[in-house]
Amino acid sequence: MSEPIRVLVVDDHPVVRQGLRTFLDVQDGIQVVGEASDGATCVSQVERLRPDVVLLDLRMPGVDGTEALRRVRALPDPPKVLVVTSFTEPSAVLPAVRAGAAGYVYKDVDPSALAAAIRAVHAGHVLLHPDVVRLLAAGDAPTREPALTAREREVLAEVARGRSNREIARSLSLSEKTVKTHVSAILGKLDVQDRTQAALYAVRAGLV
Amino acid sequence: MSEPIRVLVVDDHPVVRQGLRTFLDVQDGIQVVGEASDGATCVSQVERLRPDVVLLDLRMPGVDGTEALRRVRALPDPPKVLVVTSFTEPSAVLPAVRAGAAGYVYKDVDPSALAAAIRAVHAGHVLLHPDVVRLLAAGDAPTREPALTAREREVLAEVARGRSNREIARSLSLSEKTVKTHVSAILGKLDVQDRTQAALYAVRAGLV
DNA sequence: TAGGTCTTTGGTCCTAGGACCACGTACCCG
DNA sequence: CGGGTACGTGGTCCTAGGACCAAAGACCTA
């Protein structure tokens, strides 16, 4: 931490800017080098001051936070952008995360936590509020597990025992054709190429 | 930073444990209070030592990292768990993120970045490697497009024109049953609930 | 023994019937 | 007029045959 981390504060409320500045001035190794009150100013200040980290509010008049973020990210050798927002609705911040924000914290963090966030972001990490992570990990990509039908699970269990289609047909009193149909559906749902991989999946999933 | 952050290091390689310990001993406000070499020991050490943060390797013999993570998270008042891994394959870490890891960094981070990560995690943030964020934000399932068969695309085109199953059957010289089968397969592949959503998809995808 | 053909096995796509279930609408009756 | 009922439509799951295609093994011959 020899060189201080140079920080630009961007928020349309002077009170918030002053608050953040006061927070950060007492932190070792962090130096607030400028402020901006809207997206356009933010971009020009980044070009002029070359900060290491930008603290950016999302809700701003004119060029909004997300757009400012995109423009800053488009600059050569862009700074890390830490979104500091007051609304607790994480879905609003997803576009920002996709646009390349290096982090996302609520305004109510305490000073040392904010400093930790700035240092982490400066060190190259991406830092998110737990809610956002939940949203990304759960809501967005629903991790839909295969959802096999009852019959398909039965067939898969047989496949996982190494049975051939003919054997499965006999044991479940089906035509071999039907077994093939089920196996085919299973492969599609599990997104695997052949019965061997399906069998491995079944074992891993504990369907043996 | 009055109280030091108490850290437990969990890795099956003594060399890595020693390396992390050496890294962290020179950091202010961070104290390594113990080590574990496998998942089971990890859980018991967490119970005994009550660390603030656990540095956890995912690849371990016996109870593996993800499982250890789950068990630690199940304890009352669990510590933050920072996954420190050597493999650069981010997909391997997604389950850990979903299991509630508070962070994920590669082993090749430099000491101050690791310290920043520990402080950020301890402050309640979630901290990820940019690759993992990309993976999460991109939607995990690599947006594999549906891969409808030729016939299914024909049927979908009819659906997108607002035709009923009976009309589609007449126009394609099929039984209504077969049309239903195709529609059903289409709904499954597009992961939508009914023909209306399928029609909207078709329009968006330009299959009209 | 090497190589080619023949057969089995696995798998896909398209077709389709039967048994059900859910939902909305129209109709009829008290 | 309100409510129940019957019907049409959409959809699911299970079943299965036919036409094909690919890969692997078996078998046979030079």
Side-chain angles (χ1 to χ4, degrees):
Chain A
M1 299 195 190
S2 42
E3 292 289 307
I5 301 173
R6 297 161 50 80
V7 175
L8 175 70
V9 174
V10 183
D11 195 298
D12 59 327
H13 297 97
V15 172
V16 175
R17 290 203 302 276
Q18 186 55 51
L20 289 173
R21 194 184 263 276
T22 308
F23 267 13
L24 297 176
D25 276 349
V26 303
Q27 296 292 331
D28 270 351
I30 294 179
Q31 184 190 359
V32 177
V33 296
E35 300 180 4
S37 58
D38 62 84
T41 313
C42 166
V43 178
S44 61
Q45 287 292 72
V46 167
E47 286 182 290
R48 202 166 63 81
L49 301 169
R50 313 289 316 151
D52 299 304
V53 175
V54 176
L55 297 192
L56 178 66
D57 187 16
L58 280 188
R59 181 129 55 182
M60 285 189 305
V63 178
D64 83 341
T66 308
E67 183 54 32
L69 167 57
R70 239 183 291 273
R71 293 194 195 169
V72 166
R73 296 275 308 169
L75 296 174
D77 192 20
K80 310 288 181 179
V81 178
L82 182 57
V83 172
V84 183
T85 190
S86 54
F87 35 18
T88 51
E89 189 192 349
S91 67
V93 90
L94 278 181
V97 171
R98 295 224 169 80
Y104 168 70
V105 297
Y106 290 147
K107 271 181 191 161
D108 62 5
V109 290
D110 61 86
S112 67
L114 183 59
I118 290 172
R119 293 201 186 93
V121 163
H122 184 241
H125 302 297
V126 171
L127 179 143
L128 300 171
H129 191 279
D131 290 351
V132 178
V133 174
R134 246 196 304 287
L135 212 70
L136 283 174
D140 188 65
T143 336
R144 50 160 169 279
E145 64 264 47
L148 300 181
T149 67
R151 198 56 157 168
E152 284 162 359
R153 276 192 297 274
E154 285 185 77
V155 172
L156 178 55
E158 297 288 311
V159 169
R161 284 196 199 91
R163 304 259 200 278
S164 73
N165 287 340
R166 192 190 311 281
E167 288 169 324
I168 297 171
R170 265 206 307 277
S171 113
L172 297 183
S173 305
L174 295 174
S175 93
E176 207 180 320
K177 274 286 154 197
T178 301
V179 175
K180 278 189 172 189
T181 304
H182 286 313
V183 169
S184 204
I186 291 164
L187 298 186
K189 287 184 181 178
L190 298 187
D191 196 24
V192 296
Q193 299 316 305
D194 56 49
R195 67 200 295 108
T196 312
Q197 290 173 260
L200 293 174
Y201 175 95
V203 171
R204 275 203 305 277
L207 300 176
V208 281
Chain B
M1 298 192 193
S2 42
E3 292 288 306
I5 301 173
R6 297 161 49 80
V7 174
L8 175 70
V9 174
V10 184
D11 195 299
D12 59 328
H13 297 98
V15 172
V16 175
R17 290 202 302 277
Q18 186 55 51
L20 290 172
R21 193 183 263 275
T22 307
F23 267 13
L24 296 175
D25 276 350
V26 302
Q27 296 291 331
D28 270 351
I30 294 179
Q31 183 190 0
V32 177
V33 295
E35 298 180 3
S37 58
D38 62 85
T41 313
C42 167
V43 177
S44 61
Q45 288 290 73
V46 167
E47 287 183 290
R48 202 166 63 80
L49 301 170
R50 314 290 314 153
D52 300 304
V53 175
V54 176
L55 298 190
L56 178 67
D57 188 16
L58 280 188
R59 180 130 55 185
M60 286 190 304
V63 178
D64 83 340
T66 308
E67 182 53 32
L69 167 57
R70 239 184 292 271
R71 293 193 195 170
V72 167
R73 296 274 308 170
L75 295 174
D77 191 21
K80 311 288 181 180
V81 178
L82 182 57
V83 172
V84 182
T85 190
S86 53
F87 35 18
T88 51
E89 189 191 347
S91 68
V93 89
L94 278 181
V97 172
R98 295 224 170 82
Y104 167 69
V105 297
Y106 290 148
K107 270 181 192 160
D108 61 5
V109 290
D110 61 86
S112 67
L114 183 58
I118 290 172
R119 292 200 186 94
V121 164
H122 183 241
H125 301 298
V126 171
L127 179 144
L128 300 170
H129 192 279
D131 290 352
V132 178
V133 175
R134 244 196 305 286
L135 213 68
L136 284 174
D140 180 12
T143 20
R144 52 158 170 278
E145 66 268 44
L148 300 181
T149 67
R151 198 56 157 169
E152 284 162 359
R153 274 192 299 273
E154 285 185 77
V155 172
L156 177 55
E158 296 288 311
V159 169
R161 284 195 199 92
R163 304 260 200 275
S164 75
N165 287 339
R166 192 191 311 281
E167 289 169 325
I168 298 170
R170 265 206 307 276
S171 114
L172 297 183
S173 304
L174 295 174
S175 93
E176 208 180 319
K177 274 284 152 199
T178 302
V179 175
K180 278 190 174 189
T181 304
H182 286 312
V183 169
S184 204
I186 291 165
L187 298 186
K189 287 185 181 179
L190 298 187
D191 195 25
V192 296
Q193 300 316 305
D194 55 48
R195 66 200 296 108
T196 312
Q197 290 173 262
L200 293 175
Y201 176 95
V203 170
R204 276 203 305 278
L207 298 176
V208 282

